Amino acid sequence: MLNGMREHQAELADLRGDCERCFGLCCVALPFAASADFAVDKAAGTPCRNLREDHRCGIHAKLRQKGFSGCTVYDCFGAGQQVSQVTFGGQDWRTGPRDDARRMFEVFPVVRQLHELLWYLTEALALPAARPVHAELRKALERTEELTGGTPEELAGLDVAAHRQEVNVLLLRTSELARAGTKGRKKDRRGADLMGARLRGADLRGASLRGAYLIAADLTGADLRGADLIGADLRDADLTDADLTGAFFLTQPQLNAARGSAGTRLPGSVARPGHWTAQV
C-alpha cells in the first residue's frame, strides 16, 4: 500500500510544472485581461512585462502584492517542459525561427489540456474502487501519452475537445465507483451554482461537485471526504478546517485559488498553498 502511494506520487510529480526546464511559455503564450487577478492586459503570444531574459519571473516572490494573483493559481501540469524540451527539442522561442515560436505558443494550451487529462487518469488508476475500469483507464492513459508525443503539426490539428469527451466518460464512471463506497448521502451537485453558499460544517461526503461554482463559498469545517471535485471552481472558497481527505480529481490550481488553514485536511496528491493562513 505504501509503495503504491509512493509510485502514485512519483507519477503525479511528472505532471507538475518545472520552470527550470521551460522557456516561460505560460508567461508568453497565454492572454490575460486587467482584473482582480492581473494588473494589466496582455495578448496571447506577447511576453509578460515581468518575464526576464532567463525566462524567470521578475516579481515571482511578490506576485500577489503586485496584482498578479492569477499567476499564483496556475499550473501547466508539466506541459511547459514537455513542449519546450520534447515537442521542440529544447529550441528557445526567443532565438529560434519566428514560425516555430508561433507554433510553440499554439500547441502549448493543447498539451496543457492533455497533461491535465493525464493527471486525472493517473489519479483514477490509484483508486482501488475504480478497479472495474482500470483496464480502460490504462488504455486512455496510454493513448493520451501518445498524443502528447505528437509533432507540432499533429498537436495543432488535434481535436482535443473530442478526446476530452472520450476520457470524461471513463472519469464519470470512475467517480461513480469511487463515491459508491463513501459513507454519507452522496449528493449530486454537479454544475451547481453554489457561489457564496453557506456550507459551514456541511456533510458533503462522497458528493459529486463536478464543475460546481463554489466561488467565495463558506466551506469552513465542511466534510468533503471522498468528494469528486473535478472542475469545481474554488476561487476564494473558504476551506478553513475542512476535511478533503480522499477527495479526488482535485488539482493544485483549484486549491491555490481557495483559502484555507493549517487545520484543512488535504489528500496527498496536492500541497498546502503557501499563502494559506496558519492557525495557532
Side-chain angles (χ1 to χ4, degrees):
M1 181 68 176
L2 182 58
N3 288 337
M5 180 65 71
R6 288 174 177 168
E7 182 179 347
H8 175 54
Q9 295 301 322
E11 291 169 342
L12 290 180
D14 292 333
L15 296 172
R16 293 188 174 94
D18 183 352
C19 296
E20 294 295 326
R21 299 170 56 209
C22 178
F23 298 128
L25 293 185
C26 64
C27 305
V28 186
L30 307 179
F32 52 71
S35 62
D37 296 321
F38 298 100
V40 297
D41 292 321
K42 189 191 83 65
T46 301
C48 173
R49 68 184 189 184
N50 299 309
L51 185 65
R52 303 184 317 205
E53 289 296 319
D54 63 356
H55 303 297
R56 298 295 177 265
C57 176
I59 61 168
H60 187 268
K62 298 181 179 179
L63 283 167
R64 288 181 175 272
Q65 298 93 312
K66 296 289 186 178
F68 288 86
S69 62
C71 298
T72 68
V73 302
Y74 180 81
D75 190 286
C76 71
F77 294 98
Q81 61 260 31
Q82 174 72 18
V83 174
S84 296
Q85 303 300 330
V86 180
T87 312
F88 286 86
Q91 175 64 64
D92 189 336
W93 58 267
R94 289 187 189 272
T95 57
R98 184 169 299 179
D99 286 344
D100 282 359
R102 282 198 293 266
R103 183 51 59 90
M104 185 180 289
F105 303 151
E106 182 182 7
V107 304
F108 171 66
V110 174
V111 177
R112 198 265 185 189
Q113 290 189 64
L114 293 174
H115 273 228
E116 183 178 6
L117 290 178
L118 288 176
W119 176 282
Y120 295 139
L121 288 166
T122 299
E123 186 160 4
L125 281 166
L127 297 172
R131 194 174 303 280
V133 292
H134 274 190
E136 295 173 85
L137 287 167
R138 287 193 187 91
K139 289 181 180 178
L141 180 70
E142 291 170 1
R143 175 55 179 158
T144 305
E145 288 178 333
E146 179 184 347
L147 290 174
T148 66
T151 65
E153 293 71 28
E154 290 170 339
L155 287 165
L158 178 64
D159 187 348
V160 70
H163 183 65
R164 286 185 71 100
Q165 184 56 40
E166 292 177 9
V167 172
N168 191 51
V169 173
L170 281 174
L171 296 180
L172 278 168
R173 180 58 180 149
T174 297
S175 176
E176 293 168 356
L177 290 168
R179 292 185 298 109
T182 304
K183 295 180 180 180
R185 296 174 60 186
K186 304 178 186 64
K187 298 177 181 178
D188 186 357
R189 307 307 298 271
R190 183 180 181 186
D193 183 352
L194 297 170
M195 290 191 290
R198 297 178 180 177
L199 297 168
R200 180 181 290 259
D203 182 358
L204 295 169
R205 286 174 295 171
S208 174
L209 291 165
R210 298 171 64 89
Y213 297 94
L214 288 158
I215 302 169
D218 183 3
L219 289 160
T220 302
D223 191 342
L224 290 153
R225 286 177 291 173
D228 179 353
L229 292 167
I230 193 169
D233 194 335
L234 295 172
R235 284 178 292 170
D236 206 34
D238 192 346
L239 296 172
T240 298
D241 295 337
D243 190 350
L244 288 86
T245 306
F248 53 95
F249 298 151
L250 174 67
T251 66
Q252 196 64 49
Q254 285 174 293
L255 206 58
N256 289 348
R259 292 180 289 127
S261 68
T264 305
R265 300 181 66 184
L266 301 173
S269 58
V270 291
R272 192 176 309 277
H275 66 276
W276 281 14
T277 56
Q279 291 186 347
V280 180

